[in-house]
Amino acid sequence: LLAAVASPDPVIFMEPKILYRAAVEHVPAEPYTLPLSKAEVLKEGKDVTIVSYGTPLYTCQNALAAAERDFGCSVELIDLRTIYPWDRPAILDSVRKTGRCIVVHESMINQGVGAEVAATVQDHCFLRLEAPVQRIAGWSTHSGLAYERFNIPDVVRVYDAIKTVLEY
């Protein structure tokens, strides 16, 4: 938020309220900023790259822990942090290293940030891909709040995607 306030460019800052109580993490006492449009590698890996942001990152962490245990693979997890502009070089470098990419987001599969990330990876990493880019996202339908948990990606869907890209 501080980086957005300090930026000379217009910025829309959004954060899901569910994250307010989702995790207990160390919070520095002094003000700090994170660079805008710079992704963060949350976990290094060599077999599969997972790209996500926001709440689904917790889902991805649980799924990759299970997949690494069950399949003996190494999964790299990248937090986009910002969705426009986004850190193309960081994502492309990771996918070139692993040869596999899974994009996870809550929006509809055909209308979300993941579609752009997947298309960019396909365009720039085609000859390095060992498997088709997978998108794990909300279904292409609107749902009421009461049914949202059935629409957004869950651990099982991310786990299955990891299994699928490893089988190619």
Side-chain angles (χ1 to χ4, degrees), residues 12 14 17 24 27 29 31 63 69 74-75 104 110 112 119 121 127 131 138 141 144 152 163 168:
I12 297 173
M14 298 182 290
K17 290 190 294 185
V24 177
V27 178
R69 181 188 64 239
S74 173
V75 181
V104 182
N110 61 335
V121 168
L127 295 176
T141 183
I152 60 176
K163 182 179 179 185
Y168 269 89

Side-chain angles (χ1 to χ4, degrees), residues 20-21 28 38 42 50 60 63 69 76 94 98 124 162:
Y20 291 168
R21 293 175 188 85
K38 185 74 178 140
L42 297 177
I50 297 180
C60 294
R69 181 188 64 239
E76 183 150 300
S94 176
T98 65
H124 295 278
I162 295 169

Side-chain angles (χ1 to χ4, degrees), residues 137-158:
W139 306 116
S140 294
T141 183
H142 296 283
S143 65
L145 222 47
Y147 300 103
E148 185 179 50
R149 70 179 182 274
F150 301 113
N151 189 34
I152 60 176
D154 60 11
V155 172
V156 173
R157 288 175 59 199
V158 176

